[in-house]
Amino acid sequence: LIDGAFHNLSDWWLMGIQSTLAWADEEQGLFDVTNQYLQVGAEGGIVSMGLFIWIIVCGFRSVGLTWRFMAEIGEPAADQFIVWGLGAALFAHVVSYISVSYFDQNFVNWYLLLAMIATVRDQFVMTGKTNQPNNEVEKEEDGQVFVETGPSTWLMPLALP
C-alpha cells in the first residue's frame, strides 16, 4: 500500500485524489487504504498529511511538557500517571494508524484524546500552576470558600457554603 502510494505520488500530492482505484492490484487489493496517514494524504494532499503529522507531534510535545512541568512543581505521582496515560493512548493511536484507517464514530476517540491533552496542558503549562502545600488552594469570594484539591483542579472547584 505504501509502495503503491509512492508510485502514484504525482496523482495525489497536490490536492489528493478522488479514488485510489488506480492504485489497485487485483492480487493485492491496494484500492482499500488502511493506513490513516495515506488516507489523509489521499484525501487532501501532502500538505494535509504534513499537518496531520504535525498535530501528532504537537500532542506528544504537549504531553511531555505537561509531565515535565508536573514533576517540577511536585504534583502527586498519580496525577503524573494520568498524563503519562494520555501519552500512551496517543502512542497507541499513532501505531494503529499504520494499519487502520479511522471512519465514522472512531474519530470521536481521536478528537477526545486531543482535547484532553490540550486541556491538561492548558491547566499546567500555560497557566503556570504552582503547587501549594498539600496541593490545596482556598479562595474566598462573596462569602463562599472555594477549595481546589488534586485532580479536581483540572475540572472545577468544589463550592462549600
Side-chain angles (χ1 to χ4, degrees):
L1 178 64
I2 294 171
D3 190 44
F6 284 113
H7 282 291
N8 295 292
L9 185 64
S10 62
D11 294 340
W12 63 269
W13 76 271
L14 183 59
M15 294 179 52
I17 192 169
Q18 286 188 356
S19 173
T20 58
L21 194 58
W23 303 358
D25 182 356
E26 293 292 328
E27 297 170 10
Q28 296 175 343
L30 293 177
F31 54 88
D32 187 18
V33 180
T34 58
N35 182 311
Q36 184 67 28
Y37 303 104
L38 293 180
Q39 181 72 30
V40 169
E43 290 176 355
I46 200 86
V47 173
S48 178
M49 182 190 290
L51 291 173
F52 179 68
I53 293 170
W54 186 64
I55 288 171
I56 293 169
V57 169
C58 288
F60 279 118
R61 184 174 185 273
S62 293
V63 167
L65 287 173
T66 305
W67 184 77
R68 190 175 310 128
F69 188 78
M70 290 175 76
E72 286 177 6
I73 64 171
E75 285 291 322
D79 293 349
Q80 293 177 34
F81 184 71
I82 292 171
V83 174
W84 178 87
L86 292 174
L90 182 60
F91 181 74
H93 279 280
V94 167
V95 171
S96 71
Y97 278 159
I98 295 169
S99 63
V100 174
S101 172
Y102 284 5
F103 60 93
D104 290 338
Q105 69 272 17
N106 290 331
F107 283 112
V108 173
N109 296 326
W110 171 243
Y111 292 131
L112 177 64
L113 177 63
L114 293 177
M116 288 189 295
I117 289 171
T119 301
V120 171
R121 180 178 189 266
D122 184 55
Q123 289 295 316
F124 285 97
V125 178
M126 300 301 286
T127 61
K129 180 180 182 283
T130 59
N131 192 18
Q132 300 293 328
N134 298 328
N135 196 21
E136 187 173 289
V137 179
E138 289 189 14
K139 292 185 259 182
E140 187 172 339
E141 295 178 9
D142 298 328
Q144 289 186 333
V145 177
F146 292 91
V147 180
E148 301 176 355
T149 60
S152 66
T153 59
W154 300 356
L155 304 175
M156 55 189 260
L158 300 171
L160 300 174

